[in-house]
Amino acid sequence: MKLNMAEEEDYMSDAFINVQEDIRPGLPMLRQIREARRKEEKQQEANLKNKQKSLKEEEQERRDIGLKNALGCENKGFALLQKMGYKSGQALGKSGDGIVEPIPLNVKTGKSGIGHEALLKRKAEEKLESYRRKIHMKKQVEERAAEQFRMRLKNKQDEMKLEGDLRRSQRACQQLDSQKNIQVPREAWYWLRLEEETEEEEEEEEQDEDEYKSEDLSVLEKLQILTSYLREEHLYCIWCGTAYEDKEDLSSNCPGPTSADHD
């Protein structure tokens, strides 16, 4: 026993004390990282081996397997069909115009109640229809605004054209009256210069009740009255720009008494 003790090395001897340790920097950290990675890989392997499929996954697998396999004679319904003359792959029905494949199986996996999907679909369609109505109404409003703008622009252009025709008629009336030595126009606004002077001076003259007042007449009414005067008194049409020889010449060669007749 003492001999065996002597043969054993003394732990306090130089053989143990003078052992040089590997003190390279960073080496203990690398060892710890390798060890942690090794443990993690082992844990992952163990998890894969012990992993159990969920109930839904197992049901889905069994369902897929069952749908892939055709019905056999062990199925009572298929056996009854065969007794009535049905053959695999044949269409149903006496005349063979029925379905060939079974009715597809639609499995409801969500937790919503029956009819909830149809409700969501109906709400989505209503929302889409409401959006379309809004877009349509917006388009109608824009089109209506554009049409109103075009009408205002057209009315403004028509008004400017009427004013231009009236000024032409006033100048022609003044010139033709002067050629006939008419010193005073039938109405003050028949002549362009006199009307401007009266507007600048702002003089108010008393007139008979049966006489027209310039401010009471629109531009169109003034134009109609003045062109009629030019045609009757001077046989002149402002749109033709011609003074005719007589009434017969005027009626036969002039298209009409309005601007539209000359378009």
Side-chain angles (χ1 to χ4, degrees), residues 198-221:
T198 53
E199 289 178 356
E200 291 175 358
E201 296 173 358
E202 296 182 353
E203 296 178 352
E204 297 181 357
E205 298 179 357
E206 295 182 358
Q207 298 180 355
D208 296 335
E209 294 180 357
D210 56 344
E211 291 182 349
Y212 287 108
K213 293 183 180 180
S214 175
E215 60 271 14
D216 293 339
L217 299 174
S218 65
V219 176
L220 179 60
E221 290 173 339

Side-chain angles (χ1 to χ4, degrees), residues 23-144:
I23 56 174
R24 287 178 291 176
L27 188 61
M29 184 62 67
L30 292 174
R31 289 175 180 172
Q32 292 177 6
I33 292 173
R34 290 196 195 98
E35 186 66 23
R37 188 176 298 170
R38 192 179 300 112
K39 289 181 180 180
E40 184 178 356
E41 290 176 354
K42 288 183 179 179
Q43 185 65 33
Q44 289 179 356
E45 292 177 359
N47 290 339
L48 290 174
K49 290 180 180 179
N50 298 329
K51 183 180 178 181
Q52 295 182 353
K53 296 180 180 179
S54 64
L55 181 61
K56 289 184 178 180
E57 292 176 346
E58 292 179 357
E59 290 179 351
Q60 183 64 35
E61 288 183 359
R62 290 196 299 268
R63 188 182 303 112
D64 293 340
I65 294 172
L67 292 174
K68 288 179 181 178
N69 298 328
L71 295 176
C73 297
E74 67 277 2
N75 185 276
K76 294 183 179 180
F78 186 75
L80 289 173
L81 286 174
Q82 284 184 323
K83 289 181 180 180
M84 291 186 289
Y86 175 78
K87 295 180 180 179
S88 181
Q90 181 181 356
L92 296 178
K94 184 177 181 181
S95 57
D97 56 353
I99 61 174
V100 178
E101 296 294 331
I103 298 174
L105 180 63
N106 296 323
V107 180
K108 186 176 181 302
T109 57
K111 296 182 179 180
S112 58
I114 297 174
H116 183 69
E117 294 180 359
L119 177 63
L120 293 178
K121 183 179 179 181
R122 187 174 69 253
K123 287 184 177 180
E125 291 176 351
E126 291 176 355
K127 187 176 180 180
L128 179 61
E129 184 64 25
S130 176
Y131 174 76
R132 288 175 177 172
R133 283 198 300 268
K134 289 180 180 179
I135 294 296
H136 182 65
M137 291 176 63
K138 183 179 179 181
K139 186 178 180 181
Q140 284 185 334
V141 170
E142 291 175 352
E143 290 178 352
R144 193 157 46 243

